[in-house]
């Protein structure tokens, strides 16, 4: 049974990344979990509400009175803001303000769901500018300047979900042309010879749980997590070995990646930040702008993960994409992973 002082507030808990965190925290009754979400009737919220120890709170996560109420009486917080919904500028503001409100409320331990600060890692070369990476990265930098005396903090820096291989990253038919290639699947990306980090989301939830369970190690820690940094020729080879389906890696230019022929992003000039107060805010970026910097960051291997440390923290973790494929019976079929994946404004 959880005790009254083991209450965790989770913001972003109904998304693909947040649900495994909620499940990991509520797995044995040690923690009671409150999830703040816009809709208590969404399928994701209903799924979580059926878990013993999980309570759904309906409200706007980007509203200060709502946040003050939500943080009241809470001992721990896991915060995952949605830059795709609110835009980069608002994500920086709310990422910092949520920390301040949590500290004001007396929260003991604050976990921030971070991403790499690609612009900074790339020396602020504009080719690496990516709104949804930079927004979270700036907040991580802010947290790193804060004392851990008034409130412990930890940063859980993630990457692409390995489950994305069922969605935007899935292999595609019809890309490889030529006689005898009709059934060949193509893993398409503007990745060059880069190694792409992918994280199994169930393990991501376990890392978040470890942070709360082990504050003597996690306090002040920015933990970069992934299952494997994998080059995409190896990804294709592993897929073929596991499934028996012929697959190849097709490296493309950014222009080819955003082309109608591939159709990965049907509206590349759409503006990211659907829920921004001002949809015409010129700090908002298009899908093309955002994901150009995104792919350039991985192509040039701007970040690294300490896999020896990850093995020590979570010995049971899935240690390769190939292992994940086997574990989940992955065959390359489509399944939606990201909730409201097309959260963007079509340009006029």
């Amino acid at each position: 049974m959880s005790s009254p002082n083991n209450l965790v507030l989770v913001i972003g808990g109904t998304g693909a990344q947040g649900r495994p965190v909620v499940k990991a925290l509520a797995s044995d009754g040690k923690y009671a979990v409150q999830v703040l979400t816009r809709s208590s009737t969404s399928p994701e919220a209903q799924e979580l509400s059926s878990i013993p120890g999980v309570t759904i709170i309906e409200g706007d996560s980007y509203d200060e009175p709502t946040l003050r109420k939500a943080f009241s009486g809470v001992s721990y917080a896991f915060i995952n803001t949605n830059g795709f919904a609110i835009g980069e500028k608002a994500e920086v503001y709310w990422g910092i303000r949520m920390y301040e409100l949590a500290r004001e409320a007396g929260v003991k331990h604050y976990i921030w769901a971070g991403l790499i600060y690609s612009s900074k890692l790339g020396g602020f070369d504009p080719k690496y500018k990516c709104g949804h990476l930079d927004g979270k990265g700036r907040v991580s930098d802010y947290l790193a300047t804060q004392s851990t005396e008034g409130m412990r903090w930890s940063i859980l820096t993630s990457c692409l979900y390995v489950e994305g291989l069922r969605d935007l990253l899935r292999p595609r038919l019809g890309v490889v042309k030529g006689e005898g290639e009709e059934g060949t699947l193509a893993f398409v990306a503007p990745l060059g010879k880069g190694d792409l980090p992918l994280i199994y989301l169930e393990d991501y939830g376990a890392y978040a749980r470890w942070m709360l369970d082990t504050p003597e190690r996690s306090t002040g820690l920015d933990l970069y997590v992934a299952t494997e940094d994998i080059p995409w020729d190896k990804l294709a080879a592993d897929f073929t070995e596991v499934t028996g389906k012929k697959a190849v890696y097709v490296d493309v230019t950014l222009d080819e990646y955003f082309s109608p022929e591939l159709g990965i992003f049907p509206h590349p000039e759409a503006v990211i930040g659907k829920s921004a107060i001002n949809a015409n805010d010129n700090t908002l970026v298009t899908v093309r702008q955002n994901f150009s910097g995104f792919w350039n960051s991985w192509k040039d291997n701007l970040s690294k993960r300490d896999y020896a440390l990850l093995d020590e923290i979570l010995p049971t973790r899935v240690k390769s994409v190939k292992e994940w494929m086997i574990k989940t019976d992955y065959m390359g079929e489509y399944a939606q992973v990201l909730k409201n994946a097309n959260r963007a404004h079509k340009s006029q």
Side-chain angles (χ1 to χ4, degrees):
M1 295 292 291
S2 63
S3 60
N5 62 351
N6 271 4
L7 182 59
V8 187
L9 174 67
V10 176
I11 292 177
T14 60
Q17 187 171 331
R19 292 195 302 278
V21 172
V22 174
K23 292 174 183 179
L25 294 177
S27 62
D28 58 3
K30 179 178 179 179
Y31 301 100
V33 184
Q34 293 184 346
V35 180
L36 178 61
T37 183
R38 289 170 301 163
S39 172
S40 61
T41 60
S42 71
E44 296 83 4
Q46 290 292 301
E47 175 196 359
L48 294 178
S49 70
S50 69
I51 300 173
V54 176
T55 303
I56 303 298
I57 306 171
E58 191 168 79
D60 184 355
S61 298
Y62 308 106
D63 173 74
E64 191 158 315
T66 301
L67 289 169
R68 286 182 183 276
K69 184 177 180 181
F71 278 122
S72 178
V74 166
S75 293
Y76 309 103
F78 176 88
I79 308 298
N80 184 22
T81 51
N82 187 348
F84 287 105
I86 63 175
E88 177 184 1
K89 182 169 67 175
E91 182 161 39
V92 174
Y93 173 80
W94 284 112
I96 293 173
R97 189 62 183 134
M98 288 177 185
Y99 167 86
E100 294 171 343
L101 292 170
R103 186 162 177 176
E104 174 189 308
V107 171
K108 297 177 182 178
H109 197 153
Y110 184 93
I111 300 177
W112 170 248
L115 291 169
I116 66 167
Y117 190 172
S118 56
S119 285
K120 182 179 180 181
L121 291 173
F124 297 101
D125 185 323
K127 70 181 282 189
Y128 300 118
K129 178 172 172 51
C130 172
H132 81 277
L133 295 180
D134 289 347
K136 285 187 178 293
R138 289 190 187 94
V139 177
S140 295
D141 268 16
Y142 167 80
L143 286 181
T145 67
Q146 302 305 306
S147 170
T148 58
E149 294 299 319
M151 178 175 69
R152 297 189 295 269
W153 58 262
S154 305
I155 303 168
L156 189 55
T157 297
S158 186
C159 53
L160 293 86
Y161 314 148
V162 71
E163 289 84 352
L165 291 171
R166 302 185 189 278
D167 200 335
L168 290 175
L169 303 179
R170 70 185 184 277
R172 296 166 190 273
L173 278 171
V175 175
V176 181
K177 309 293 185 183
E179 186 176 348
E181 300 289 356
E182 293 80 4
T184 300
L185 289 162
F187 287 93
V188 182
L191 187 61
K193 297 183 181 299
D195 300 331
L196 190 71
L198 298 169
I199 179 68
Y200 177 39
L201 285 171
E202 185 174 314
D203 285 347
Y204 179 87
Y207 287 120
R209 172 66 187 256
W210 173 85
M211 285 184 155
L212 289 191
D213 284 349
T214 320
E216 67 275 11
R217 294 192 63 188
S218 68
T219 297
L221 176 66
D222 185 352
L223 183 65
Y224 279 47
V225 296
T227 299
E228 179 182 10
D229 284 45
I230 186 167
W232 269 32
D233 54 352
K234 181 178 183 297
L235 172 67
D238 286 350
F239 175 79
T240 295
E241 182 179 342
V242 170
T243 67
K245 297 181 179 181
K246 184 178 179 182
V248 296
Y249 164 42
V250 176
D251 183 28
V252 294
T253 66
L254 287 167
D255 283 341
E256 289 170 333
Y257 183 72
F258 294 113
S259 69
E261 288 75 22
L262 281 179
I264 296 173
F265 288 105
H267 307 288
E269 308 312 324
V271 177
I272 292 174
K274 182 178 181 181
S275 298
I277 293 174
N278 177 10
N280 296 316
D281 184 343
N282 62 13
T283 68
L284 299 176
V285 296
T286 66
V287 169
R288 183 190 299 273
Q289 291 168 328
N290 185 78
F291 283 97
S292 291
F294 177 84
W295 281 109
N296 283 334
S297 300
W298 305 121
K299 181 177 183 177
D300 292 346
N301 292 326
L302 295 187
S303 64
K304 296 294 181 184
R305 281 132 292 278
D306 184 344
Y307 284 104
L309 175 61
L310 297 180
D311 287 341
E312 178 193 346
I313 291 171
L314 191 62
T316 59
R317 75 179 187 89
V318 171
K319 295 179 174 63
S320 69
V321 174
K322 181 180 177 182
E323 182 183 344
W324 171 82
M325 290 178 179
I326 295 169
K327 179 182 178 70
T328 62
D329 296 321
Y330 175 69
M331 296 297 289
E333 290 90 350
Y334 170 75
Q336 184 176 351
V337 174
L338 296 175
K339 186 175 70 168
N340 300 323
N342 295 320
R343 186 177 293 278
H345 302 286
K346 296 180 185 179
S347 56
Q348 303 300 314

